[in-house]
Amino acid sequence: MASTTSFFLPVVLLVAAAAAPARSSPHPPPRCPPSDLHALLSVKQSLGNPATLSTWSPASGDCCKWDHVRCDEAGRVNNVFIDGADDVHGQIPSAVAGLTALMSLSLFRLPGLTGAIPPCLTALSNLQFLTISHTNVSGTIPESLVRLRILDSVDLSNNRLTGSIPNSFADLPNLRSLDLRHNQLTGSIPAGLVQGQFRSLILSYNQLTGPIPRDDAQDEINTVDLSHNRLTGDASHLFAPGRPIGKVDLSWNNLDFDLSKLVFPPELTYLDLSHNRIRGTVPASLARLSTLEKLDLSYNHLCGPLPKMHGVIRHGCKPYEHNQCLRGAPIETCHRL
């Protein structure tokens, strides 16, 4: 009898387990927790309660449904993008620091946005994409941004920023894109900034001086735009052998180097070296660039014959104008027109 009981005991236990009510799973975290909701409402108030942010209302408890806001799967605010609004006024609110899950912050085309870039942004340890562009934000670029170790892209273009470019930008291990164009930045380009890590480096339309730091890295950089500054010296190292690069704009500087022996990367699609003091002859490697769409070597001190190859002739006259003594086609044809 005891053996029969022991035989049926596992069956009884299994039936009982199946009949027992299922344990309720823990409730999922609420979308837009109170901390995110409070931070967004404080941001709106600090910006003058603009109509652009009219959907930001405590009456709607789920801020993930508001305009200019996105949330992650856990219901945390991870993206705030406010753009094209003339009714936004004030400084960048310190309440932004309360959005601790924020991965992307974009403040774009906001002429009423003023003041300095606040140090509180360094509390956003998850921030990967930072855009503060086409505003009236002024002051210096804070060195403290180096605390945002996973930054991938920084766009601070078209503002009123002054001072120098922080050396700390070169220490950000994941930074791949930096756009500081159209500001009033001075000083030199930090030594490590041109080395190794960038897909896109745009520092044009500032007041930067000194040489372009030497860089022999063979990285995957696509765009280097240092135009409209006061840079001097040799920039030929940007075209190091084996380095793929798509766009180079060094125009309107005071660069002085010999172009003759440069070997341009075959991936080059855009090259503007105009309005400098570049000397020598036009190298044959330029003629072999079948992918080159934009070329401008005008207003330099180039001399000698142009290579008699289609890659040179096909760009017409304008890229070679106002040099010292260039000759040959298409220059001769241009002079007869």
Side-chain angles (χ1 to χ4, degrees):
M1 187 69 179
S3 60
T4 304
T5 303
S6 61
F7 174 79
F8 283 104
L9 184 59
V11 176
V12 172
L13 292 176
L14 286 173
V15 172
R23 182 176 298 176
S24 59
S25 59
H27 293 290
R31 284 167 58 84
C32 188
S35 59
D36 286 355
L37 181 69
H38 176 73
L40 289 174
L41 293 176
S42 297
V43 167
K44 177 184 177 182
Q45 183 178 20
S46 298
L47 296 177
N49 293 308
T52 301
L53 305 180
S54 60
T55 61
W56 294 22
S57 169
S60 171
D62 187 359
C63 64
C64 297
K65 297 179 180 178
W66 295 355
D67 295 338
H68 308 285
V69 173
R70 294 288 183 273
C71 293
D72 59 21
E73 293 181 355
R76 295 296 310 277
V77 174
N78 69 348
N79 188 345
V80 172
F81 49 98
I82 307 173
D83 54 37
D86 293 332
D87 56 351
V88 168
H89 298 286
Q91 301 184 18
I92 299 173
S94 59
V96 169
L99 301 169
T100 54
L102 205 62
M103 296 176 60
S104 177
L105 174 63
S106 179
L107 305 172
F108 181 62
R109 290 188 301 170
L110 304 175
L113 197 65
T114 58
I117 298 174
C120 68
L121 293 184
T122 58
L124 303 174
S125 59
N126 294 304
L127 199 66
Q128 297 181 37
F129 307 98
L130 174 63
T131 296
I132 304 170
S133 178
H134 289 78
T135 75
N136 277 299
V137 167
S138 58
T140 59
I141 302 173
E143 286 272 0
S144 58
L145 289 179
V146 74
R147 299 177 191 169
L148 302 176
R149 302 300 293 171
I150 63 173
L151 272 176
D152 177 275
S153 172
V154 174
D155 182 354
L156 304 178
S157 63
N158 292 275
N159 293 303
R160 299 174 59 191
L161 298 172
T162 56
S164 59
I165 300 173
N167 292 325
S168 58
F169 275 140
D171 299 325
L172 288 170
N174 298 298
L175 191 61
R176 298 294 179 263
S177 177
L178 179 62
D179 190 347
L180 304 178
R181 79 183 90 179
H182 285 282
N183 279 288
Q184 302 165 30
L185 300 173
T186 55
S188 59
I189 300 174
L193 203 60
V194 192
Q195 293 183 0
Q197 63 188 33
F198 285 96
R199 293 189 304 263
S200 178
L201 178 64
I202 304 176
L203 308 177
S204 54
Y205 290 91
N206 280 288
Q207 302 167 28
L208 301 173
T209 56
I212 300 172
R214 184 167 184 83
D215 174 18
D216 295 320
Q218 296 184 5
D219 60 322
E220 296 295 327
I221 194 165
N222 180 66
T223 298
V224 175
D225 186 350
L226 310 179
S227 62
H228 292 266
N229 280 288
R230 303 171 185 173
L231 300 172
T232 56
D234 189 353
S236 60
H237 56 82
L238 290 176
F239 308 99
R243 183 180 196 184
I245 192 168
K247 174 181 177 179
V248 178
D249 191 345
L250 305 177
S251 61
W252 292 91
N253 279 290
N254 293 308
L255 299 170
D256 182 354
F257 59 95
D258 190 342
L259 194 69
S260 305
K261 297 181 180 180
L262 279 188
V263 178
F264 293 104
E267 297 84 0
L268 200 62
T269 60
Y270 187 111
L271 179 63
D272 191 345
L273 302 178
S274 65
H275 295 271
N276 279 287
R277 301 176 181 177
I278 300 171
R279 49 198 158 74
T281 59
V282 175
S285 65
L286 185 64
R288 294 190 289 267
L289 295 179
S290 59
T291 60
L292 192 63
E293 299 173 1
K294 163 73 174 181
L295 173 66
D296 196 346
L297 303 177
S298 62
Y299 291 91
N300 277 292
H301 301 315
L302 299 174
C303 194
L306 290 171
K308 296 180 180 180
M309 301 175 70
H310 175 70
V312 170
I313 298 172
R314 72 185 179 92
H315 293 286
C317 308
K318 190 173 181 180
Y320 311 106
E321 291 177 345
H322 300 283
N323 272 285
Q324 188 168 332
C325 54
L326 285 178
R327 62 184 186 275
I331 299 295
E332 294 169 353
T333 306
C334 299
H335 291 165
R336 289 198 299 265
L337 298 177

